Amino acid sequence: MKEYGDKIPADKKGAIETGVAKLKEAHKSQDIPTIDTAMAELNAAWTAASQDIYNAQGGAQPDGQPGADSNGGGQQNAGAKEDNVTDVPYEEVK
């Protein structure tokens, strides 16, 4: 939050702060199921906020598709896994 607080929209920032507060309370009571629930809520809030941060940094192209990464490969589909395999010379040492 210290590093990205100014880049997170207020509604998402509030959700993260609420999640942190719930997690602290659950930790104080040492209630494992409540801790797990609070962690899941906090992770969901952070994931939503991090997507906004990514988009704000130019991660999305105008057509809504994710941008290319630094090595030139991009994602075709968010759910599809792309293998980036590069052949390189090597020397076998015995």
Side-chain angles (χ1 to χ4, degrees):
M1 288 293 289
K2 291 177 184 177
E3 186 175 343
Y4 296 108
D6 59 332
K7 297 176 184 171
I8 299 173
D11 60 328
K12 302 229 170 109
K13 191 174 188 178
I16 292 171
E17 291 170 347
T18 301
V20 169
K22 285 182 181 180
L23 184 58
K24 285 181 180 181
E25 287 299 314
H27 182 261
K28 285 180 188 176
S29 66
Q30 298 294 315
D31 184 11
I32 301 300
T34 306
I35 291 172
D36 290 340
T37 302
M39 282 294 298
E41 290 176 12
L42 181 57
N43 284 335
W46 178 250
T47 299
S50 64
Q51 183 63 42
D52 285 347
I53 294 169
Y54 176 76
N55 290 339
Q57 292 177 345
Q61 297 173 353
D63 64 356
Q65 294 294 320
D69 58 12
S70 62
N71 65 5
Q75 287 182 302
Q76 298 297 324
N77 295 322
K81 182 178 177 184
E82 182 180 318
D83 292 331
N84 243 350
V85 179
T86 305
D87 290 329
V88 295
Y90 68 94
E91 178 180 335
E92 187 174 336
V93 179
K94 293 184 179 188

